[in-house]
Amino acid sequence: MAKYKKHILVCGGSCCKSGNSQQMADTFRSMIFERGLQDEVQVIQTGCFGLCDKGPIVKVMPDNTFYTKVTLNDVSRIMDEHIVGGHKVEDLLFVDPETGNKVENNEKGEFHKKQIRIALRNCGVIDPENINDYIAHDGYIALGDCLTNHTPEEVIEIVSASGLSGRGGAGFPTGKKWASSARAKADQKYVVCNADEGDPGAFMDRSILEGDPHSVLEAMAICGYSIGADKGLIYIRAEYPLAIERLKIAISQAEEMGLLGDNIMGSGFNFHIELRYGAGAFVCGEATALIHSMEGKRGEPTFKPPRTSEKGYNLKPTNVNNVETYANVPAILLKGAEWFSSIGTANSKGTKVFALAGKVNNVGLIEVPMGITLREIIYEIGGGIKDGKKFKAVQTGGPSGGCLTEKHLDIPIDYKSLTQAGSMMGSGGMVIMDESSCMVNIAKFYLDFTVPESCGKCTPCRIGNKRLYEMLDKITKGKATMEDLEHLRNLSVVVKDTALCGLGQSSPNPILSTLDNFWDEYVEHVQDKKCRAGACKDLVRYEINPAICLGCTACARNCPVDAIHGELKKPHTIDQDICIKCGTCYTKCKFNAIRIN
């Protein structure tokens, strides 16, 4: 790489690929060849840079120039003006949504200032399909050091001392889990990577596997050495074709170089990794259900004990960690337990990757130190709420988490604080909502997701969640009573206390948190038959104010069912018998002439 004067980094994550980033990279290479610059300029397709809704993204090094929303038509401009001419293409630079300033070096912008990238350290930096790139960034050094300089017990001690906990949601100490698997006696042990990322809006694990697959492979091999396992399995949902493709490439490359397989680095240690595919069942994110699925059985959880570290895959001791947990391990072993434990809070060490989504300006992938506040994430890293609207709530932990309000913005993000606030860390989904969101409808949305995802094994989850959804549906249609609200809370508590696994136990969290924090909205739906956000169609009526309407016809032209009538330059009316309450007229009117009643 040193021979090249410039590198053009093109985002090759799923999001940017959907915006033709692959074709852009190919076009850059063609133009470089046409201009005879192949010995001076190199194009590298990387993983996710983080600013997902600003893609496709192109970064020019060593200038550290960050271009966003690049199109195929912009490729020649970047080549001619920047690579050849030496002048930055100003209109493609990232614009900070809070300040309105153009940011040439993205690492100096608000989005990156408070981030610390450990699990994401190589995403957006290396070519994930080139093992040499990973090795050039200290790849497989940690594995080599473990095999030559540390006993398995010493490796586990380092992981334990670091304070690394499971990033899949439960937050169980990683070193403790490894130690338990190491103590188990068996002729065969397994290392499993849980890549079954099922939360709506979550893409943390997918992005790591797409951008830095070798970090997970190396960590699994280190875990295998530590617990006495020679076989690894990655359980990944089939809906992740790019991650699967890059894992296959990475495994093949590592085997070819002797970094996986038999007698790794001449140490006598053997470790092989295979892929297992999931069909997208949310419940299979639970360790025992995941293992049953890998065995070809129905994906159902089982009671514990015994834990998977004692009897897991094929009833053999099995260590299960998620993608993000493994991605931290090589960095910890390279830089030391003290380094990692110095980041974060007293009880939550290191960093956490979040998928920032919803009504926030900077939608994307972030990695922040434990202890940072929600306010810092939303207003500094996230760039504030879209369209200048008011913040209303943030959902952390996906369907298993809860909705937090403005009063929670300054709590530190760690496992304990989020749980005490009525939510949870979860795997890392973070959805921001503004004043246009109805919190009753949000709770209904998550239950609508959870109900069909239940494996059906236990009655509280199979039947209880269905009844909870029916109650919420009744409320959003204006057919509920105050007694129904009491039943809603009581049943939520019962399901939470009696369900078999984490899916059922956490499914009422969106209901309980919104009941606690947005009680007035529930009462409004029940007593006033009104949805202030206009999200519950049965409780909404769109009307045109004749004193404001100028008869521009924008609402009528965009109405999908022709429910709006009127003459040009005269006030229009909405036929309530035809109106489907889609809200198109409300969003298209530039004069605020349409009101929601």
Side-chain angles (χ1 to χ4, degrees):
M1 288 180 68
K3 70 174 183 177
Y4 296 104
K5 294 180 180 178
K6 288 187 183 295
H7 293 86
I8 301 174
L9 309 182
V10 181
C11 176
S14 288
C15 184
C16 287
K17 269 185 170 286
S18 67
N20 293 321
S21 69
Q22 177 66 59
Q23 193 172 349
M24 289 179 199
D26 294 339
T27 304
F28 270 121
R29 292 188 180 101
S30 296
M31 289 185 174
I32 287 169
F33 185 80
E34 289 170 2
R35 289 162 174 74
L37 299 173
Q38 58 267 32
D39 294 329
E40 298 180 28
V41 184
Q42 183 186 36
V43 178
I44 300 174
Q45 269 201 286
T46 71
C48 179
F49 283 99
L51 278 162
C52 300
D53 69 332
K54 303 297 188 294
I57 290 172
V58 173
K59 188 174 183 179
V60 179
M61 297 295 287
D63 312 45
N64 219 357
T65 304
F66 198 73
Y67 293 125
T68 59
K69 296 187 177 180
V70 180
T71 68
L72 279 169
N73 293 331
D74 296 320
V75 172
S76 59
R77 295 176 60 206
I78 294 173
M79 276 299 304
D80 294 335
E81 296 179 33
H82 189 159
I83 303 302
V84 177
H87 303 291
K88 293 179 175 61
V89 185
E90 294 289 330
D91 60 295
L92 295 180
L93 294 173
F94 172 58
V95 178
D96 190 290
E98 280 289 276
T99 64
N101 297 328
K102 291 180 178 179
V103 181
E104 293 186 8
N105 181 345
N106 67 303
E107 294 174 6
K108 294 181 180 179
E110 295 298 325
F111 182 76
H112 279 97
K113 273 184 182 178
K114 293 193 173 182
Q115 292 196 51
I116 299 176
R117 292 166 72 90
I118 300 176
L120 299 178
R121 61 192 177 278
N122 291 326
C123 293
V125 177
I126 67 170
D127 178 353
E129 298 183 16
N130 186 342
I131 192 172
N132 292 317
D133 261 17
Y134 180 69
I135 291 172
H137 287 79
D138 298 330
Y140 291 103
I141 292 179
L143 174 59
D145 185 54
C146 289
L147 296 178
T148 56
N149 298 319
H150 295 291
T151 64
E153 294 78 15
E154 288 173 342
V155 175
I156 293 175
E157 285 176 10
I158 294 171
V159 175
S160 298
S162 73
L164 176 66
S165 55
R167 297 305 196 242
F172 191 82
T174 304
K176 189 174 181 179
K177 182 179 284 191
W178 288 22
S180 178
S181 299
R183 286 193 300 269
K185 304 299 182 183
D187 58 347
Q188 178 66 60
K189 295 182 182 181
Y190 295 95
V191 174
V192 170
C193 175
N194 180 354
D196 187 62
E197 187 173 49
D199 290 14
F203 47 92
M204 301 80 60
D205 292 349
R206 186 198 76 200
S207 297
I208 292 172
L209 293 175
E210 289 178 355
D212 191 16
H214 286 285
S215 66
V216 176
L217 303 184
E218 181 180 10
M220 290 178 68
I222 291 169
C223 179
Y225 171 71
S226 303
I227 71 171
D230 63 1
K231 291 184 179 179
L233 301 167
I234 300 176
Y235 183 79
I236 183 169
R237 52 183 47 221
E239 295 98 322
Y240 284 178
L242 182 59
I244 290 171
E245 179 187 352
R246 288 180 175 167
L247 277 171
K248 287 180 177 178
I249 292 171
I251 292 170
S252 176
Q253 290 176 341
E255 289 175 342
E256 190 175 333
M257 295 189 71
L259 300 173
L260 284 180
D262 295 327
N263 193 26
I264 296 174
M265 301 183 191
S267 65
F269 170 61
N270 306 326
F271 194 76
H272 297 262
I273 295 178
E274 298 177 7
L275 301 184
R276 293 286 189 275
Y277 304 119
F282 183 57
V283 72
C284 287
E286 197 276 339
T288 58
L290 179 154
I291 286 172
H292 291 150
S293 177
M294 288 200 305
E295 293 172 338
K297 302 172 184 175
R298 184 181 175 89
E300 294 178 333
T302 53
F303 285 107
K304 306 180 189 71
R307 296 192 174 276
T308 57
S309 58
E310 300 163 345
K311 288 186 178 180
Y313 184 67
N314 291 334
L315 299 179
K316 301 295 184 179
T318 304
N319 183 88
V320 183
N321 286 120
N322 88 320
V323 171
E324 185 185 342
T325 308
Y326 283 125
N328 280 283
V329 170
I332 290 171
L333 289 163
L334 280 175
K335 297 187 177 183
E338 187 176 344
W339 162 77
F340 188 82
S341 64
S342 68
I343 303 167
T345 67
N347 298 313
S348 298
K349 302 297 185 181
T351 59
K352 182 72 190 78
V353 179
F354 289 100
L356 197 57
K359 302 298 179 66
V360 67
N361 281 309
N362 293 333
V363 171
L365 196 69
I366 66 172
E367 184 172 3
V368 292
M370 294 282 196
I372 194 173
T373 65
L374 287 167
R375 187 183 302 278
E376 290 173 285
I377 288 180
I378 295 168
Y379 288 98
E380 295 181 39
I381 297 173
I385 309 302
K386 280 184 177 179
D387 303 320
K389 291 188 176 181
K390 185 179 179 182
F391 166 81
K392 186 171 186 177
V394 53
Q395 169 86 359
T396 66
S400 304
C403 295
L404 305 179
T405 68
E406 194 168 9
K407 68 182 180 183
H408 301 108
L409 285 177
D410 294 311
I411 66 170
I413 294 179
D414 57 45
Y415 291 98
K416 185 178 180 180
S417 298
L418 287 176
T419 301
Q420 288 177 340
S423 188
M424 64 185 296
M425 184 79 72
S427 60
M430 187 175 288
V431 182
I432 315 301
M433 289 161 269
D434 64 16
E435 55 199 309
S436 66
S437 298
C438 168
M439 303 316 296
V440 183
N441 200 50
I442 289 294
K444 178 182 171 182
F445 166 80
Y446 282 112
L447 261 292
D448 186 41
F449 171 82
T450 303
V451 167
E453 293 295 337
S454 171
C455 74
K457 187 173 184 178
C458 74
T459 303
C461 185
R462 182 182 70 250
I463 304 298
N465 279 326
K466 180 66 174 175
R467 297 292 88 84
L468 288 174
Y469 175 81
E470 290 169 353
M471 290 184 204
L472 289 168
D473 188 53
K474 192 176 177 182
I475 295 168
T476 58
K477 290 179 178 177
K479 298 178 181 179
T481 65
M482 291 302 292
E483 188 178 9
D484 289 318
L485 294 186
E486 183 180 349
H487 292 328
L488 181 69
R489 185 185 291 275
N490 290 340
L491 182 56
S492 293
V493 173
V494 170
V495 173
K496 187 176 180 68
D497 291 343
T498 60
L500 171 61
C501 79
L503 186 149
Q505 293 163 7
S506 60
S507 58
N509 283 345
I511 299 174
L512 291 170
S513 63
T514 51
L515 280 171
D516 289 340
N517 296 318
F518 299 95
W519 173 252
D520 56 332
E521 284 197 37
Y522 279 90
V523 173
E524 203 171 61
H525 280 66
V526 172
Q527 293 186 343
D528 301 332
K529 313 299 180 187
K530 180 180 178 181
C531 174
R532 68 177 70 171
C536 301
K537 292 184 178 181
D538 291 275
L539 304 181
V540 170
R541 180 184 175 94
Y542 290 93
E543 295 179 342
I544 298 176
N545 187 342
I548 301 177
C549 179
L550 302 178
C552 71
T553 75
C555 58
R557 283 183 281 110
N558 287 281
C559 178
V561 292
D562 297 323
I564 303 176
H565 308 289
E567 297 179 21
L568 182 64
K569 297 184 179 180
K570 290 185 179 181
H572 284 44
T573 58
I574 300 176
D575 187 332
Q576 299 298 330
D577 293 330
I578 301 177
C579 178
I580 60 172
K581 302 171 184 179
C582 64
T584 301
C585 58
Y586 182 79
T587 58
K588 292 296 182 180
C589 181
K590 298 179 181 180
F591 306 101
N592 297 319
I594 298 176
R595 58 196 175 201
I596 303 174
N597 291 321

